[in-house]
Amino acid sequence: MANSMEPKSKITIHHGTLNDIEFPPILYKYRNWSDNFHKRFIVQREVFMASARSFTDKLDCNNSTRFDLLDDQQIYQYYRHWSEKEHPNWKKFQHKDFARKWTKQTPIKDKNHVEEWMKKTREEYYDHDGILSLTANCDNERMWKEYGNVDKGFCIGYNTKELFKYVGGGGEVLYLDELPMILPEPFMEFPEAMRNRVYCKLKEFEFEEEYRTRKFSPNTLTVEERRIELPPTAFNRIILGKKMTDADKKEIKEYIKSHIGEIQIVEKSLT
């Protein structure tokens, strides 16, 4: 592989297991009690593994794989790699023939073809992947404004270790001046490419202090499959927005008591 295409990540990639990653003991989710979908987080004790298609930041999980940077030698390596991966029983000369053939007639140099292929791949990813966005900060004024119905909503604090038993592993989101490059295999390993796509955002979203967990399915995830019911032990506390109405406070407290049980409820003050 030519030195010019050696994958150079702009961040340090973590390849460890969940037990190797140090998470805050409590992670939070801001919600709007006026939204029936958000109420399910209390009433059904659910979290929802959302498709990145629904995210506010349209660049989120949307940085393209840079096929345009591959020269002829690297395109040959690309097809040789996939030949060996998809046809492990082939002879060496068969892999070479396959790579030579597709290097000559490759659609990779066709910008429109690559864009269409990336669009299709991105839509498939949206259908198969679910993300739960959380934050380490329950006292973030901008988060209350953006995601907590301008202080009229609520914020759920989850016991991180208990939560992750049900939603799988995750990681901390890194905020960068520009989204990191993604290269196709074999020039960048899949875990690194996934890290660059899912766990990196632009610095303008740094206020979110986000952590994420993921759920991937080989089949298209249905709405029901994106919903994950949690036990009461996954909940640590519920924080009520400082502008939440008395009627909403009364209602949410009744649901917390009947569906979660005894748990700390914190009412934010206007002062």
Side-chain angles (χ1 to χ4, degrees):
M1 180 166 57
N3 291 335
S4 62
M5 276 299 295
E6 288 285 352
K8 296 182 177 65
S9 174
K10 299 180 182 179
I11 60 174
T12 299
I13 303 302
H14 184 87
H15 293 290
T17 64
L18 181 61
N19 292 331
D20 298 322
I21 305 172
E22 187 172 336
F23 287 91
I26 305 172
L27 287 172
Y28 298 91
K29 185 74 175 176
Y30 289 82
R31 299 282 76 184
N32 175 4
W33 189 248
S34 298
D35 186 318
N36 287 329
F37 170 74
H38 290 193
K39 282 186 177 180
R40 295 182 66 95
F41 280 67
I42 299 293
V43 178
Q44 305 296 334
R45 295 201 310 269
E46 288 178 353
V47 289
F48 188 78
M49 310 300 290
S51 166
R53 185 186 287 115
S54 66
F55 289 173
T56 303
D57 175 15
K58 297 309 176 184
L59 292 178
D60 201 344
C61 301
N62 196 18
N63 37 341
S64 297
T65 304
R66 298 298 305 273
F67 285 97
D68 59 304
L69 298 179
L70 303 184
D71 60 26
D72 287 343
Q73 179 184 354
Q74 291 147 1
I75 291 173
Y76 173 86
Q77 288 178 275
Y78 169 77
Y79 284 117
R80 176 70 182 264
H81 168 78
W82 282 104
S83 178
E84 292 172 352
K85 193 168 185 176
E86 295 182 7
H87 307 287
N89 296 323
W90 278 12
K91 303 291 186 182
K92 184 181 291 187
F93 78 89
Q94 291 176 295
H95 294 305
K96 288 182 178 180
D97 288 346
F98 178 92
R100 289 194 193 102
K101 173 186 174 182
W102 281 100
T103 298
K104 290 179 180 178
Q105 62 187 52
T106 181
I108 287 177
K109 294 183 179 181
D110 183 337
K111 182 179 178 181
N112 292 331
H113 176 90
V114 172
E115 287 179 354
E116 284 299 314
W117 182 82
M118 287 300 301
K119 180 180 179 181
K120 179 183 177 183
T121 302
R122 184 165 54 247
E123 291 300 317
E124 289 176 352
Y125 162 73
Y126 289 157
D127 289 337
H128 292 254
D129 204 56
I131 295 173
L132 174 64
S133 297
L134 302 158
T135 181
N137 189 347
C138 64
D139 196 26
N140 185 319
E141 290 300 321
R142 187 168 175 186
M143 290 291 283
W144 276 107
K145 178 181 178 181
E146 299 280 348
Y147 303 110
N149 193 23
V150 197
D151 291 304
K152 295 190 289 289
F154 63 106
C155 183
I156 305 171
Y158 295 104
N159 293 312
T160 304
K161 287 185 178 179
E162 187 69 15
L163 172 68
F164 281 7
K165 292 177 184 178
Y166 298 88
V167 298
E172 183 177 8
V173 171
L174 302 178
Y175 299 96
L176 308 168
D177 291 324
E178 59 183 73
L179 294 176
M181 183 184 299
I182 296 176
L183 300 172
E185 292 185 65
F187 310 108
M188 180 177 284
E189 295 295 325
F190 178 79
E192 183 175 3
M194 183 56 64
R195 175 71 180 181
N196 286 2
R197 175 168 284 120
V198 178
Y199 293 97
C200 295
K201 296 181 67 173
L202 295 175
K203 274 195 173 179
E204 64 185 280
F205 296 96
E206 195 168 16
F207 72 93
E208 295 176 343
E209 301 175 64
E210 185 177 353
Y211 288 78
R212 287 182 165 175
T213 71
R214 294 180 59 243
K215 176 180 181 178
F216 179 82
S217 171
N219 302 312
T220 297
L221 285 167
T222 65
V223 171
E224 286 303 317
E225 288 171 332
R226 291 180 181 276
R227 290 172 173 161
I228 298 177
E229 184 177 343
L230 302 174
T233 52
F235 294 79
N236 180 279
R237 67 188 65 169
I238 309 292
I239 304 165
L240 309 183
K242 61 187 177 182
K243 294 181 182 178
M244 194 178 210
T245 67
D246 290 339
D248 283 351
K249 285 181 182 179
K250 180 181 178 181
E251 184 181 46
I252 194 173
K253 286 178 181 179
E254 290 173 352
Y255 278 115
I256 291 170
K257 184 176 181 179
S258 60
H259 294 277
I260 298 175
E262 294 299 324
I263 186 176
Q264 183 183 14
I265 299 175
V266 180
E267 296 189 33
K268 285 181 64 67
S269 172
L270 282 169
T271 58

